[in-house]
Amino acid sequence: MSYKVPVGLSNKHIHLTQEHLDILFGAGSELHPEKWLKQPGQYGSYEKVEVVGPKGTLKNVRILGPLRKASQLEISLTDARQIGIKAPIRESGDIEGTPGIKIVGPAGELQLEKGVIVASRHIHLSTEQAKEAGVVDKEIVKVQCPGERALVFENVLCRVSDAFVAEMHVDLDEGNAAQLENGQLLEIIK
C-alpha cells in the first residue's frame, strides 16, 4: 500500500506563552496572524524576536500562534551551530533537559531556562488519514523522497489527531538536502 503526504519545510520559529509574550512585547500583547499554516488554527505571526546565543544571534525569528503552555524555540542544526547551542533532536513539546536561550523583543528580554530543540521529522495525520496510510499515533516510519537528490528519511514520527491534516514537517537543512519544495508529495514506506 502506498500513501503520499505533502511536505512542509519548517524554518526557525518560536512558540511562546502569554507571560513571555507580555515580557517581550508589553503587557496584554496579542499575536497577529500574517500567514495561516496548513495545520488548522496554526499561523505565523507578524511578531518576531531575536534569539541570542553564546556565539551569535538569530534575527527575525517568527512567533507561531496560537500561544502555548510552554515556550519553545525550534531551530535547525545549522542554526544551533551558528549561535553556539547544542540543541537536541526532540519531538515538539518534549523540552525537559534542553538548553535555554536569551530572547529579545521590542519591549523587553527574557532568559528561557529550557526549550531549545531541533524538531524531529514528523508527519501530521488525521485519524482517517492515518487509517488510509496504515499507521498509528507515535509509529515510526520511513518516507521516500523522489528526485535528483532522492533519499529516504528514516525515524519519521507519525502524529495522529483529528485536529491535524496530512503534512510532513522537516527543517530547512533536511529539505535542502533532498531538494524538497513545500507541498511536494512524499511516500510513506514501512
Side-chain angles (χ1 to χ4, degrees), residues 6-15 35 37 62 64 68 72-79 92 117-122 124 159 167-176 180-183:
V7 69
L9 303 177
S10 182
N11 200 356
K12 58 187 166 285
H13 61 272
I14 192 166
H15 301 280
K35 178 183 176 188
L37 305 177
R62 188 174 307 281
L64 295 191
R68 299 269 181 106
Q72 170 182 295
L73 174 67
E74 295 183 33
I75 57 178
S76 70
L77 289 170
T78 298
D79 295 327
S92 182
I117 66 165
V118 174
S120 59
R121 57 182 80 112
H122 59 279
H124 293 279
R159 298 178 63 195
E167 186 177 42
M168 178 175 170
H169 288 163
V170 296
D171 66 32
L172 292 182
D173 286 352
E174 295 173 305
N176 286 337
L180 297 177
E181 294 188 23
N182 281 317

Side-chain angles (χ1 to χ4, degrees), residues 77-95:
L77 289 170
T78 298
D79 295 327
R81 286 186 190 100
Q82 179 183 339
I83 61 174
I85 294 287
K86 288 192 176 220
I89 298 171
R90 294 280 184 89
E91 180 179 354
S92 182
D94 180 9
I95 61 171

Side-chain angles (χ1 to χ4, degrees), residues 2-8 38 143-147 166-168 180-188:
S2 171
Y3 189 85
K4 293 191 176 180
V5 61
V7 69
K38 187 161 185 178
V143 175
Q144 174 69 51
C145 302
E167 186 177 42
M168 178 175 170
L180 297 177
E181 294 188 23
N182 281 317
Q184 185 175 346
L185 293 177
L186 308 180
E187 184 177 359
I188 297 174

Side-chain angles (χ1 to χ4, degrees), residues 19 32 65 69 81 84 91 106 120 129 148 151 161 185 187:
E19 175 189 2
H32 301 90
K69 293 179 184 175
R81 286 186 190 100
E91 180 179 354
S120 59
Q129 290 165 332
E148 189 175 344
L151 57 79
S161 166
L185 293 177
E187 184 177 359

Side-chain angles (χ1 to χ4, degrees), residues 12-17 20-26 31 45-52 57-64 71-75 101-110 112:
K12 58 187 166 285
H13 61 272
I14 192 166
H15 301 280
L16 293 175
T17 63
H20 289 161
L21 183 68
D22 288 346
I23 291 168
L24 296 169
F25 288 85
L31 294 178
S45 73
Y46 282 100
E47 291 75 21
K48 297 175 184 174
V49 295
E50 286 188 13
V51 174
V52 182
T57 300
L58 299 174
K59 296 183 181 289
N60 298 314
V61 176
R62 188 174 307 281
I63 303 170
L64 295 191
S71 292
Q72 170 182 295
L73 174 67
E74 295 183 33
I75 57 178
I101 194 121
K102 181 179 177 180
I103 310 295
V104 179
E109 60 185 53
L110 61 90
L112 286 184

